[in-house]
Amino acid sequence: MPPVAGIEAVAVQLRTDVAIGGQVQVRVTDTGSEPFTVTSVAIDSPGFAPLPDRAVTAAFTPGRTVDLPTPFGGAVCDTAAEPAAARLTVVRPDGRTEVLRVPLAAADLTRIHTDACAARAVLAVAGVTVTGLALEGEAVTGTLETTRGGGDGRAVTLTRLEGNVLYDVEADLPVTLAEGESSAEVGLTFTTARCDPHALAETKQPYLFVLGVQVDGEDEVTVDLPLDQAQRDTLFTLTESAC
């Protein structure tokens, strides 16, 4: 992909992007000698489903860098994320409008793509669900279950489960769905980790819990513990009652 004179772009995933989910910053720099304005941005990558351009208004002068929050589509796992481009609508000082494909340095996008496709692959062997969450005194309890998803009969092990700033979580792991078994389950217990105002106000991902999954001795892959809105509300009730 040929460079575009006077414009460079890098995909960067910030902590706020992780918290929001489904977006990165397209960091655009005016490397030329003239100003311009960007009025829309999109990610053009073979490894992600295309999304409509996002309207923005960002004025650039020579040397200026601006981060443009830009969503990305679902991972397309039969192709790589790179080469990628930032599709920018650029308005020049004389009023001319151009739609440009600017080569995008996309190491963060490649990492996101790799992680998403690895998680999708292990969950295709055995899915993960959380059921029966209920507030019991000073804890929320429930069940973590893994269920075989298709014809792949390999053993699947849930290796570990991590809490976060607001919640500790306990489960009797590792637990293995043995070859040929259809499901395996283990109890879950969530308790409050912190109640201080700073933690409550600043935590960006209060319901993110990282679960390790390993298929038949392969490298561990991490997936997000799946919690629907009702289950998140139950955890919030725990916070309300404890804090």
Side-chain angles (χ1 to χ4, degrees):
M1 184 184 312
V4 174
I7 306 178
E8 292 183 353
V10 181
V12 180
Q13 187 183 45
L14 305 178
R15 288 180 62 188
T16 52
D17 300 318
V18 175
I20 292 169
Q23 76 169 35
V24 293
Q25 305 293 315
V26 173
R27 182 168 291 170
V28 177
T29 301
D30 182 346
T31 59
S33 59
E34 294 185 350
F36 58 84
T37 300
V38 173
T39 60
S40 75
V41 58
I43 289 170
D44 185 351
S45 163
F48 294 90
L51 294 178
D53 292 16
R54 179 178 180 270
V56 298
T57 302
F60 291 82
T61 54
R64 188 182 187 210
T65 297
V66 178
D67 284 355
L68 305 176
T70 309
F72 55 83
V76 179
C77 293
D78 60 356
T79 187
E82 298 181 78
R87 188 169 61 249
L88 305 176
T89 301
V90 174
V91 181
R92 301 296 185 180
D94 61 4
R96 290 180 298 116
T97 299
E98 303 174 272
V99 178
L100 303 175
R101 292 181 75 249
V102 179
L104 185 65
D108 278 9
L109 271 183
T110 291
R111 175 181 49 77
I112 292 167
H113 182 269
T114 298
D115 291 348
C117 292
R120 186 180 299 175
V122 299
L123 292 176
V125 179
V128 176
T129 55
V130 174
T131 60
L133 283 195
L135 180 63
E136 296 185 3
E138 298 182 351
V140 166
T141 61
T143 301
L144 172 63
E145 183 175 10
T146 180
T147 304
R148 196 167 299 286
D152 191 330
R154 290 178 293 169
V156 177
T157 299
L158 306 184
T159 57
R160 60 189 173 92
L161 180 59
E162 296 181 2
N164 58 39
V165 172
L166 294 187
Y167 302 101
D168 292 324
V169 59
E170 294 183 3
D172 190 13
L173 298 180
V175 63
T176 297
L177 175 63
E179 183 175 351
E181 290 184 343
S182 60
S183 65
E185 63 181 42
V186 64
L188 283 175
T189 302
F190 297 88
T191 53
T192 302
R194 289 177 61 177
C195 278
D196 56 284
H198 177 76
L200 294 174
E202 297 299 323
T203 300
K204 300 295 191 297
Q205 296 177 288
Y207 307 113
L208 176 63
F209 301 90
V210 174
L211 176 67
V213 184
Q214 187 177 40
V215 176
D216 197 25
E218 296 179 352
D219 291 342
E220 179 192 76
V221 172
T222 58
V223 304
D224 295 345
L225 188 71
L227 296 173
D228 62 27
Q229 190 56 53
Q231 293 168 330
R232 296 180 180 199
D233 291 344
T234 300
L235 289 175
F236 179 74
T237 300
L238 172 64
T239 299
E240 283 190 315
S241 64
C243 299

